[in-house]
Amino acid sequence: MLADLWARASATQPPLPWEGSLLLGLVALLVTWSPLGHRVVRHLVTLVHEAGHAAVAALVGRRLSGIRLHSDTSGVTVSRGRPRGPGMVATMLAGYPAPALVGLAGAFLLGAGYAAGVLWALVLTCALVLLLVRNLYGLWVVLVLGVSVALLSWTAPAAALSGTAYLMVWTLLLAAPRAVVDLHRERRGRRGGSDADQLRRLTGVPASVWTAVFWLVTVGALVVGARELVPLG
């Protein structure tokens, strides 16, 4: 079974024609930037956001205590270690760029023909996050997403896998800048509990600068990823 799973995950198929990819990108744009659609896809974005925090926390030697995903599409990752220093800064910095960078990596994988690999990578991410989730709603979100993508990856024909993978990658690339826009809006007149505000307390650099950094990274990933997904040349 493991051999069959690896064969499915590593199988390649030709990238979609640029017209098909562009059409799926327009669909993702309509979904991610509409109020109702964004609320749905933001669960995926939040999962990847918190997974980014967790991955960097583990890499810098912090001890992970758990992840919580909430019904309002917010989330929190708790880790233990030094309350200040480069490791904590890197951990806090990782969240907002994570969906954009994962989407960019997915775009390069799609360009190489690994649409199935993109979907199975999401299933693996859900499995790892599942070990860290500490609330029932988060458990439900991760299970539904992971099981749904796993069943699709196991049973769907190649064309459906490619379309789904492209749509997911476009969604991550487009939703990442939208999340930064939401961050900027929510910071005005509210308590300073965002990632940017926590980075300000850790470094002394204004939160607006960190928000600008998030924006530049997410938009840069979108531009590079779009060129890979729609190779007009």
Side-chain angles (χ1 to χ4, degrees), residues 117-134:
V118 169
L119 296 179
W120 281 110
L122 176 59
V123 175
L124 178 61
T125 299
C126 289
L128 294 174
V129 171
L130 191 64
L131 300 175
L132 297 169
V133 170
R134 296 294 183 266

Side-chain angles (χ1 to χ4, degrees), residues 56-158:
V56 173
L59 287 173
V60 300
R62 298 181 64 82
R63 290 186 300 169
L64 290 169
S65 299
I67 293 174
R68 290 178 177 270
L69 304 174
H70 303 130
S71 58
D72 63 355
T73 71
S74 65
V76 61
T77 298
V78 179
S79 62
R80 296 180 180 179
R82 292 182 58 191
R84 307 187 70 86
M88 188 61 186
V89 172
T91 299
M92 294 308 306
L93 188 60
Y96 279 94
L101 296 178
V102 169
L104 180 58
F108 283 111
L109 286 173
L110 290 175
Y114 291 103
V118 169
L119 296 179
W120 281 110
L122 176 59
V123 175
L124 178 61
T125 299
C126 289
L128 294 174
V129 171
L130 191 64
L131 300 175
L132 297 169
V133 170
R134 296 294 183 266
N135 67 322
L136 288 176
Y137 187 84
L139 182 68
W140 179 81
V141 169
V142 177
L143 277 175
V144 169
L145 180 61
V147 171
S148 299
V149 176
L151 288 175
L152 177 71
S153 301
W154 192 266
T155 61

Side-chain angles (χ1 to χ4, degrees), residues 29-230:
L29 178 64
L30 291 175
V31 172
T32 54
W33 287 81
S34 66
L36 180 60
H38 181 60
R39 184 171 179 81
V40 174
V41 302
R42 191 170 174 178
H43 289 290
L44 170 63
V45 175
T46 300
L47 188 153
V48 178
H49 176 116
E50 300 305 330
H53 281 312
V56 173
L59 287 173
V60 300
R62 298 181 64 82
R63 290 186 300 169
L64 290 169
S65 299
I67 293 174
R68 290 178 177 270
L69 304 174
H70 303 130
S71 58
D72 63 355
T73 71
S74 65
V76 61
T77 298
V78 179
S79 62
R80 296 180 180 179
R82 292 182 58 191
R84 307 187 70 86
M88 188 61 186
V89 172
T91 299
M92 294 308 306
L93 188 60
Y96 279 94
L101 296 178
V102 169
L104 180 58
F108 283 111
L109 286 173
L110 290 175
Y114 291 103
V118 169
L119 296 179
W120 281 110
L122 176 59
V123 175
L124 178 61
T125 299
C126 289
L128 294 174
V129 171
L130 191 64
L131 300 175
L132 297 169
V133 170
R134 296 294 183 266
N135 67 322
L136 288 176
Y137 187 84
L139 182 68
W140 179 81
V141 169
V142 177
L143 277 175
V144 169
L145 180 61
V147 171
S148 299
V149 176
L151 288 175
L152 177 71
S153 301
W154 192 266
T155 61
L161 289 181
S162 291
T164 303
Y166 271 81
L167 187 60
M168 186 191 76
V169 168
W170 273 117
T171 296
L172 288 172
L173 289 171
L174 290 163
R178 170 66 189 269
V180 179
V181 172
D182 291 342
L183 168 67
H184 176 68
R185 290 173 178 171
E186 293 167 0
R187 282 194 61 253
R188 291 182 293 183
R190 294 186 58 180
R191 63 186 186 279
S194 69
D195 290 359
D197 290 301
Q198 293 186 61
L199 284 165
R200 174 185 58 81
R201 288 192 288 270
L202 288 168
T203 64
V205 178
S208 58
V209 174
W210 291 113
T211 303
V213 170
F214 294 153
W215 173 254
L216 290 173
V217 172
T218 55
V219 172
L222 172 59
V223 171
V224 177
R227 292 182 63 183
E228 184 68 22
L229 292 170
V230 187

